[in-house]
């Protein structure tokens, strides 16, 4: 069933392309004149309501080569819009369960053209036929659609843009004998998810014969972060007016403006490649040709910081001992690699041990880190390791009779505490972690060091802990 949604998506994209074409034609079109072109891409997410399933997510990718500018009264040649939708393997299996072999139907797309003649936008509905698509037995498949706009002529100068709206799909999955499945033919309303940029293309309509500003110099990237890029370019000149400013474009939309020859583009996505051009504008309403493009890849996002309180217990296998563990873990998680770095601070703890299998002994333990905490986080799984030197300042029989310890009493080598998430770990919410460590033999614990060391030294020790986000972290 979800495959059907995806197949509709491709048809929806085709319908959107045709809708954009019809819109542009409805705005007042007919004449001639070549213009520079820009390649634009647009990805849109929808939720389409299907029988039995309810709202299902659908994604459409559109690509088009659209003229940058056209003069009033001159022809802007039609442009082709390609759409590609990928159907996932789960959806393919769902369609197969209905004995579907092919999918076909129609898409009715809403789109809007905004030009000086129609400043509030001209809504148009365009119907298109979906290509018949053969479904694979398993795995993903792609559906491709194409639409071409008519030639256009505009009557007023200014800016124009085409936006893509909602979809109505009429679909028929068919079996291998060409007959419909149990669903027959049905309609699905697709609502665009809010908060998206739904501008397919923007272009400029110039006055005929206007000189306008010259093409700006090729921009250069003077600085970039994970979410912004700063550009600078050569100034434009103007023979018929005065240059009043510049607009920076990406994918056919204005992403920054400036009265000078530098601008910072905000709200970018980390670790993403962008292509920018610059257009100058003057006091007569004219806009220049676009500059040559510049491409920049934003930085990876910085590591996210998390602070946790730690609480749980540890078992010391050598003497059937236990000790409470509390403390703090401050960690940073790199979003691109999942690398974890941090600092683990464990509070002192009193361990309850058994000497000779029956004599209760209390050991006061402290923990000294021997380096940072390191590890990885990926797909809900957290793993860390920390080198810790365990010290025992005192041992007391029955909790009151001193029998050893001291400032120099400690393990002869650091322990490596390895922890892993127990179940799915959410860095924002914390979670349970478990692990283990070995303890080396004790040294410098007094005359009976040789008797005290076996109480703690050995392998197979465990830790069972909970990490809880600190308030405000």
């Amino acid at each position: 069933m979800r495959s059907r949604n995806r197949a509709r998506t491709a048809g929806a994209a085709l319908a959107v392309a045709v809708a954009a074409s019809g819109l542009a034609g409805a705005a007042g079109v007919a004449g001639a004149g070549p213009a520079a072109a820009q390649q634009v891409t647009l990805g849109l997410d929808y939720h389409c309501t299907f029988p039995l399933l309810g709202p299902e997510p659908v994604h459409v990718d559109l690509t088009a080569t659209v003229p940058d500018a056209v003069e009033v009264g001159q022809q802007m040649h039609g442009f082709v819009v390609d759409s590609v939708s990928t159907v996932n393997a789960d959806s393919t299996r769902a369609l197969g369960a209905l004995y579907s072999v092919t999918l076909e139907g129609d898409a009715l797309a809403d789109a809007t053209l905004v030009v000086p003649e129609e400043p509030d936008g001209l809504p148009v509905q365009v119907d298109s036929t979906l290509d018949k698509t053969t479904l694979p037995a398993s795995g993903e498949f792609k559906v491709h659609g194409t639409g071409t706009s008519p030639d256009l002529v505009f009557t007023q100068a200014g800016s124009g843009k085409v936006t893509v709206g909602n979809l109505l799909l009429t679909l028929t999955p068919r079996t291998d004998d060409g007959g419909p499945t149990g669903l027959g033919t049905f309609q699905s309303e697709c609502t665009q998810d809010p908060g998206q940029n739904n501008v397919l293309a923007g272009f400029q309509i110039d006055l005929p014969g206007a000189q306008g500003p010259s093409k700006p110099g090729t921009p250069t990237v003077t600085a970039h972060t994970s979410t912004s890029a700063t550009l600078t370019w050569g100034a434009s000149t103007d023979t018929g007016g005065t240059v009043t400013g510049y607009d920076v474009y990406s994918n056919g939309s204005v992403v920054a403006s400036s009265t000078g020859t530098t601008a910072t583009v905000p709200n970018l996505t980390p670790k993403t490649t962008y292509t920018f051009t610059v257009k100058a504008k003057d006091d007569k309403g004219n806009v220049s040709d676009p500059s040559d493009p510049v491409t920049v890849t934003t930085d990876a996002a910085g590591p996210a910081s998390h602070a946790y309180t730690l609480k749980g217990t540890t078992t010391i296998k050598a003497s059937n001992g236990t000790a409470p563990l509390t403390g703090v873990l401050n960690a940073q998680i790199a979003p691109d690699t999942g690398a974890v770095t941090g600092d683990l601070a464990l509070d002192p703890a009193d361990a309850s041990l058994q000497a000779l299998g029956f004599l209760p002994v209390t050991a006061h333990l402290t923990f000294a880190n021997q380096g940072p905490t390191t590890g990885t986080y990926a797909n809900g799984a957290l793993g860390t390791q920390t080198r810790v030197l365990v010290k025992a300042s005192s041992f007391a029989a029955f909790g009151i009779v001193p029998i050893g310890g001291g400032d120099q009493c400690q393990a002869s080598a650091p322990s490596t505490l390895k922890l892993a998430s127990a179940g799915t770990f959410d860095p924002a919410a914390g979670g349970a972690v478990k692990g283990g460590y070995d303890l080396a033999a004790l040294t410098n614990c007094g005359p009976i060091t040789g008797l005290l060391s076996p109480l703690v030294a050995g392998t197979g020790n465990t830790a069972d802990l909970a990490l809880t986000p600190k308030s405000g972290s």
Side-chain angles (χ1 to χ4, degrees), residues 24-33 70-78 117 150-155:
V29 301
V70 63
E71 289 187 357
V72 170
Q74 286 190 327
Q75 179 178 323
M76 182 170 78
H77 293 294
E117 293 96 321
D151 297 335
L152 314 177
V153 171
F154 301 98
T155 62

Side-chain angles (χ1 to χ4, degrees), residues 123-147:
V124 171
Q125 286 189 323
V126 177
D127 194 12
S128 65
T129 300
L130 307 185
D131 292 341
K132 185 175 182 179
T133 302
T134 301
L135 306 176
S138 63
E140 294 182 344
F141 67 93
K142 296 180 182 295
V143 181
H144 174 259
T146 303

Side-chain angles (χ1 to χ4, degrees), residues 314-355:
T314 180
T315 62
I316 301 174
K317 184 178 179 181
S319 57
N320 295 318
T322 62
L325 284 183
T326 59
V328 173
L329 172 63
N330 294 312
Q332 292 188 321
I333 303 176
D336 54 340
T337 64
V340 176
T341 58
D343 295 302
L344 174 65
L346 294 174
D347 299 328
D350 288 328
S352 299
L353 312 175
Q354 289 185 3

